[in-house]
Amino acid sequence: MKVGLKIWRYDSATGDRALREYEIEAPEEATLLDCLDIVKDRHDGSLAYRKSCRMMICGSCGMRMDGAAVLACKTRMYDIAQEGRVPVISAMGNLPIVKDLVVDMDPFWSKFKAMWPWLEPGYDRPDDGREYRISQERMNVIHKEALCINCGCCVSECNAMESDPEFLGPQALAKGMRFVGDPRDGATVERLERYNREHGIWDCTRCYFCNERCPKGVDPRDAIAKLGAESIRLGIDRDMGAKHAKWFVRSTETTGWLREEELIPKTQGYVSAIKQLKFGASLARHGKVRPVPIPHVARDVNEARNLRKVVQEQDREGALGIVQGERALARLAHGGGAESLEEIYARPGAAPRPFLPGDAEGGAVSPPGAGGSAGGASSAGEGSAQGQGSLTQADVTPGKEPTRKRGGE
Amino acid sequence: MRRVAYYKGCLASLSAKELDSSTKALAPMVGLELVELESVTCCGAGDIHEAEPDYYLHLNARILAYAEATGCDMLMTVCNVCTLNLRQANFMLQGDEELLARVNENLASVGVPAYSGKVDVRHFLWEIAEGEGYEALKQVAHRGLKGLKVAPFYGCQILRPSKIMGFEDPDRPWSLERIIEACGGEAVDYPAKVKCCGFPIIAAREETALGELIQPVEQAIEAGADVMVTPCPLCHLSLDAWQQKLEASTGRAFKMPVLHLAQLVGVAAGLEEAELKFKRHIVDPRPALERLEV
Ligand code: SF4
Ligand code: SF4
Ligand code: SF4
Ligand code: SF4
Ligand code: FES
């Protein structure tokens, strides 16, 4: 089959960059990685990318296809080639680019190391001198986290890291949960204290890009929620993020609805809340918050209060509350829940694939290269000029600085 | 007319009352009879899921149980975060009989009706982006948006995780664009429309959150938008209310009006200020909408 690829070439030494188009002949079962091999072997030996295992286990080949991080060796090209699409391939985001598709993983590894990625022995040796045994149930707690292959796909699109480059990030924190949840580890509290610091778990903005991108089903966002739950269970709750989370619990118990006007004071403490007074007053003028908190009480709120008492006595506190749902949610990954893209676009009355504002009434899908979606295509990156809808990420152009705090000050 | 259980969530009950009133006015026009849930609480946002996940599951199960008790087979939400919370809890319960049984036992012990697992949780956006709702929408949007340039802002939790949401392609969504076009507006395109506005950490990590928030606001302006529209009242709160903090920290005047989805369609359908309540917005959208008058 014929496969077209557009690849962002970049050289950090010179700063040169260019979008090159390649058309190659590849076998039908070819993956993106196979196609890159063909480009390098037969068309352009100077192309740089990483690979090793070719079977989704070493984590070397993370890169972006049309702005979304993928493992090149897991991505089959058949459907894309059949549709006549020419995807744009670029390096992963949130990491500096060395050359072409190769990123510098040093920041990734230093965050990884900051998690203490080893077991701190802390268990009693069994008296009979035999090995330490762990029940399946206990290992289920970290089953997903243990699947991580350190590829960095989750980090590539992490929205919190784009804004705060020091954020530990999804991979490191998921690794942290892998040790916090391990019954053999003896440093749970020290770990959680560490992960609760400034650029730790409470930096996560819940954008869910990490869950979306992870090729191994680790669901790093869920791992971060487990760390939050364990921290709060063990009373490590000084961080504003933890206080914020606890205030929601308190609200549902007392009024049923979120007591919004008290959320900022409860989260930041009263001193910084007073600094927010001017801001608060402007919200109050528009009825966004009430100047004097009058709790608005939901009917039968005592049921929620009692429910909390009942569940607190049932030993499913902390991370276990999330783990208990994983068996059911795992089915979704195998087509048991929400629809796949194919099913979505096959629904009667569904929008055409890919939808562009111009073809609202089910008109023709622009062929690749025909260019031009209605309105603002220029700011949407290369993809939308290719008739593929807008790209997810602004930074498909390699070498572009990640977005810094305050929009590039 | 299809009867659906309506869960408005905290924001539409409190700071975003304009969302509640415009949804209630619009729903019957697109064939939905809203049965409002009275005895329900907050779904806990991402916060209770993180602080006390077992309690989160029960709290959401209770909401689903009361939705089922209305006799409706669908629970309709008007907020991204509620949608994710309720769909996630629903899938947990539907996919695990043991877990459902335990939760039901606990619900019964505090006097809440049992939940069978049969309610479908859907966002208002999905109801009017496709199928009968979409056909009805085309009929009611008679007043039209007269080419108003609208920047759709999806936010995160209506798109991701897609295995739980699954209505559309999380990287190339189309529902808001389709609705904007059906109402006679022009959808402008910009990359940050699927990114996070920073709301969940806006209290705890304001600087990081504002670094996220600036992207959609800036890009929508660059793309030439007259207004933005969002299906999520939390996105709305940060885009509209926290915009003044962005202005203070950057020294720039953005003044980008942000509409709730029901308000945008409501304008096209001829709803009035009594229902739209634009005066409750921090950035008043009325000047931008003036050219629709006549
Ligand atoms: S499972 Fe792991 S250790 Fe075993 S062969 Fe594969 S990569 Fe190697
Ligand atoms: S959910 Fe949190 S950790 Fe995951 S990508 Fe988003 S901000 Fe990063
Ligand atoms: S969590 Fe998933 S995406 Fe992130 S590094 Fe591990 S395997 Fe890769
Ligand atoms: S964009 Fe912001 S408010 Fe909206 S769903 Fe995402 S985090 Fe929540
Ligand atoms: S080459 Fe090893 S994961 Fe792709």
Side-chain angles (χ1 to χ4, degrees), chain B residues 197-215:
Chain B
C197 69
F199 186 80
I201 53 171
I202 217 154
R205 296 285 188 276
E206 187 174 285
E207 208 187 330
T208 306
L210 291 181
E212 297 180 72
L213 179 60
I214 194 166
Q215 298 185 34

Side-chain angles (χ1 to χ4, degrees), chain A residues 190-265:
Chain A
E190 294 85 337
R191 282 181 191 282
L192 288 172
E193 291 279 5
R194 210 178 154 84
Y195 307 165
N196 263 266
R197 291 183 198 160
E198 174 63 19
H199 304 286
I201 53 181
W202 304 105
D203 247 37
C204 167
T205 183
R206 302 184 191 140
C207 69
Y208 282 89
F209 266 110
C210 51
N211 285 23
E212 194 63 40
R213 297 294 186 242
C214 176
K216 287 285 165 179
V218 173
D219 288 341
R221 167 60 215 158
D222 298 19
I224 297 168
K226 290 179 195 171
L227 287 174
E230 287 298 292
S231 301
I232 288 173
R233 180 175 74 85
L234 295 169
I236 303 168
D237 53 11
R238 288 182 310 278
D239 193 280
M240 289 197 279
K243 294 200 182 114
H244 190 269
K246 286 177 72 175
W247 184 247
F248 274 81
V249 176
R250 183 91 189 102
S251 294
T252 56
E253 278 197 313
T254 49
T255 65
W257 295 113
L258 176 61
R259 290 160 64 176
E260 284 176 293
E261 42 280 282
E262 290 156 276
L263 187 61
I264 301 270

Side-chain angles (χ1 to χ4, degrees), chain B residues 264-284:
Chain B
L264 185 83
V265 179
V267 170
L271 296 185
E272 298 295 334
E273 174 65 18
E275 293 119 358
L276 299 169
K277 299 196 199 305
F278 285 135
K279 67 169 187 305
R280 295 179 52 86
H281 291 220
I282 305 289
V283 181
D284 193 336

Side-chain angles (χ1 to χ4, degrees), chain A residues 140-142 144-145 177 208 211 218-230 315-330, chain B residues 46-57 88-89 92 96 99 102 164:
Chain A
N140 284 349
V141 173
I142 54 169
K144 285 166 72 179
E145 289 76 9
M177 181 59 208
Y208 282 89
N211 285 23
V218 173
D219 288 341
R221 167 60 215 158
D222 298 19
I224 297 168
K226 290 179 195 171
L227 287 174
E230 287 298 292
D315 279 351
R316 301 269 183 119
E317 290 170 291
L320 287 180
I322 295 175
V323 174
Q324 66 179 346
E326 287 181 347
R327 190 168 48 160
L329 292 179
Chain B
D47 287 86
I48 298 184
H49 179 252
E50 184 150 10
E52 296 184 14
D54 196 25
Y55 179 44
Y56 145 81
L57 178 64
Q88 176 170 269
M92 284 179 174
D96 191 332
L99 189 58
R102 170 175 164 254
I164 290 176

